[in-house]
Amino acid sequence: MKRGNTWWVDFTTPAGERIRRSAGTSNKIQAQELHDKLKAETWRVEKLGDKRKYLWDDAGRQWLIETSHKKTHLEDARKLVWLQQFLRGRVLAEIGREEIAAIGEKKRLASSGATANRFLALIRAILRKACYEWEWIEKAPKVRLYKETKRRVRWITPEQVNLLRQELPQHQRDTTLFALSTGLRQANILGLTWEQVDLLRHTAWIPADKAKGNEDLHISLSKFGVELLQRQLGKHEERVFTYAGKPINYINTTTWREALKRAGIENFRWHDLRHTWASWLVQNGTPMYDLQEMGGWKSTEMVRRYAHLAPAQMSKHADVVGSLLYGTISSQEQK
């Protein structure tokens, strides 16, 4: 049967137990394959005494249940949605290193090695749980991560933002501009609810359990940011950013990447919108300690990445020493 755009598996086992669960796909053929596989497996387990063969779908579901209290829960759910295209219906014990490496390479080519590592790390964590805690498989395959380069600062100009804005559909245009307006991370923007926004006071906040620094983050909204949020009013009773009346759960899509290409912007990731926000602030005189507070960084090391963008603002401090040095030499020496 089908609920919305998703097919569901529904059958009764030989023991009389009804099995009803989402197939996690809008493809009827794929859903039927999963239905037949599950039904055949339950028959072999109950009639022939075979050991149950757990699927990746079972592991993903169990992982989300056990990690529902963690701040990474929604981000893990988004990653699992993307992974379903490769691992849906796969028997856990049959998932090997080469298959996992191929999945990581597809993500690396579409984004970066660092992003691919986040997906690979999730696969590794789930398979280790399945082996060592749930005892669903005998051995967890080794997962090799990509070597990550030193953190970079990639930012774009207001002129480039204008080109990108013209290439994006409305819902992605709004989330992109809000990211540039606030510097918020992708998960915080997509998960933003109206309870976290006060339009009258021009503020928003991210609770500690959803903030990367594990501390409440308060955001001062610009007039631009407030007007952008006001345009979202009435679209959804809970979530701020939506598409076709439903919350947006994933933004780094083919549409986003194609828009970047048409705008002539290369080597740019969604997280670079945060770098752009910070770079613009520093270039226009925002002190480093203010930037650290606004961005929710716990260490000054993360903020110092932007220091080189503010040489003009630092020159006035350099002139303090220069003026003192002028006092140490005669007027003749200055000529």
Side-chain angles (χ1 to χ4, degrees):
M1 62 179 177
K2 196 174 186 181
R3 293 183 180 178
N5 292 323
T6 304
W7 285 95
W8 279 62
V9 171
D10 190 354
F11 65 91
T12 302
T13 69
E17 178 186 2
R18 185 178 185 184
I19 303 296
R20 182 167 50 183
R21 51 176 274 190
S22 170
T25 179
S26 58
N27 187 299
K28 185 177 181 180
I29 295 176
Q30 292 178 345
Q32 187 63 49
E33 289 177 354
L34 179 60
H35 171 278
D36 296 343
K37 181 181 291 188
L38 291 174
K39 190 171 183 179
E41 182 189 336
T42 57
W43 186 89
R44 293 185 64 85
V45 169
E46 294 182 16
K47 295 296 185 180
L48 303 179
D50 286 0
K51 183 178 181 180
R52 179 180 173 183
K53 294 181 179 180
Y54 289 93
L55 305 181
W56 168 260
D57 310 67
D58 300 317
R61 187 178 300 105
Q62 187 64 26
W63 175 269
L64 290 178
I65 291 173
E66 294 189 7
T67 60
S68 60
H69 63 288
K70 294 186 176 181
K71 65 179 183 180
T72 57
H73 179 72
L74 287 178
E75 189 61 31
D76 284 352
R78 295 188 189 102
K79 289 185 175 72
L80 287 171
V81 169
W82 186 83
L83 289 169
Q84 278 296 92
Q85 62 185 305
F86 308 105
L87 297 173
R88 178 186 292 109
R90 295 284 287 114
V91 176
L92 278 182
E94 297 176 0
I95 299 175
R97 285 184 295 177
E98 292 185 359
E99 182 176 1
I100 296 171
I103 294 172
E105 184 63 7
K106 286 183 179 293
K107 176 52 69 173
R108 186 191 70 81
L109 292 174
S111 50
S112 67
T115 299
N117 281 345
R118 306 293 88 78
F119 284 80
L120 291 172
L122 178 60
I123 295 174
R124 180 175 61 184
I126 291 176
L127 291 177
R128 285 180 174 178
K129 272 261 189 182
C131 178
Y132 302 118
E133 292 189 28
W134 306 331
E135 298 182 345
W136 290 358
I137 55 178
E138 297 295 330
K139 183 180 180 181
K142 291 183 178 180
V143 178
R144 184 184 296 275
L145 302 183
Y146 293 98
K147 184 177 180 180
E148 295 187 27
T149 57
K150 187 177 181 181
R151 288 179 179 270
R152 61 166 197 169
V153 174
R154 171 75 170 97
W155 57 277
I156 55 179
T157 65
E159 291 74 21
Q160 288 175 304
V161 169
N162 186 44
L163 291 174
L164 176 59
R165 179 186 62 80
Q166 295 177 51
E167 298 294 342
L168 290 169
Q170 187 63 53
H171 68 288
Q172 289 193 337
R173 186 184 309 165
D174 289 340
T175 52
T176 297
L177 293 176
F178 191 69
L180 289 166
S181 174
T182 61
L184 283 175
R185 295 179 173 87
Q186 180 182 148
N188 294 143
I189 292 176
L190 299 186
L192 190 67
T193 66
W194 288 113
E195 290 183 347
Q196 297 170 245
V197 176
D198 189 331
L199 293 176
L200 293 178
R201 296 176 57 204
H202 289 203
T203 59
W205 56 91
I206 306 299
D209 62 341
K210 295 182 180 179
K212 188 173 182 180
N214 294 316
E215 293 181 0
D216 290 342
L217 176 62
H218 294 268
I219 302 101
S220 296
L221 298 173
S222 63
K223 180 181 178 182
F224 180 94
V226 170
E227 290 176 351
L228 191 152
L229 291 180
Q230 288 174 333
R231 293 197 294 272
Q232 314 308 314
L233 289 170
K235 295 182 179 180
H236 196 274
E237 61 181 13
E238 180 184 1
R239 297 273 280 277
V240 174
F241 293 104
T242 61
Y243 174 62
K246 297 181 180 180
I248 301 173
N249 292 317
Y250 200 73
I251 201 69
N252 186 19
T253 61
T254 301
T255 301
W256 158 261
R257 293 190 291 273
E258 290 298 323
L260 286 170
K261 291 180 181 179
R262 291 194 299 273
I265 300 173
E266 300 178 348
N267 190 29
F268 194 82
R269 307 165 304 174
W270 173 271
H271 190 73
D272 292 330
L273 295 172
R274 178 171 168 86
H275 291 321
T276 298
W277 166 81
S279 299
W280 287 1
L281 287 175
V282 171
Q283 290 167 358
N284 287 277
T286 301
M288 289 296 168
Y289 55 85
D290 286 343
L291 179 64
Q292 181 178 349
E293 183 71 21
M294 293 171 70
W297 286 289
K298 298 190 73 172
S299 69
T300 56
E301 179 183 356
M302 300 297 291
V303 184
R304 281 201 298 269
R305 293 180 295 172
Y306 307 101
H308 69 284
L309 298 171
Q313 282 68 42
M314 299 301 178
S315 63
K316 64 181 180 180
H317 302 301
D319 283 340
V320 172
V321 176
S323 63
L324 294 174
L325 289 174
Y326 275 127
T328 66
I329 58 178
S330 66
S331 58
Q332 186 65 32
E333 290 176 302
Q334 294 181 32
K335 294 181 179 180

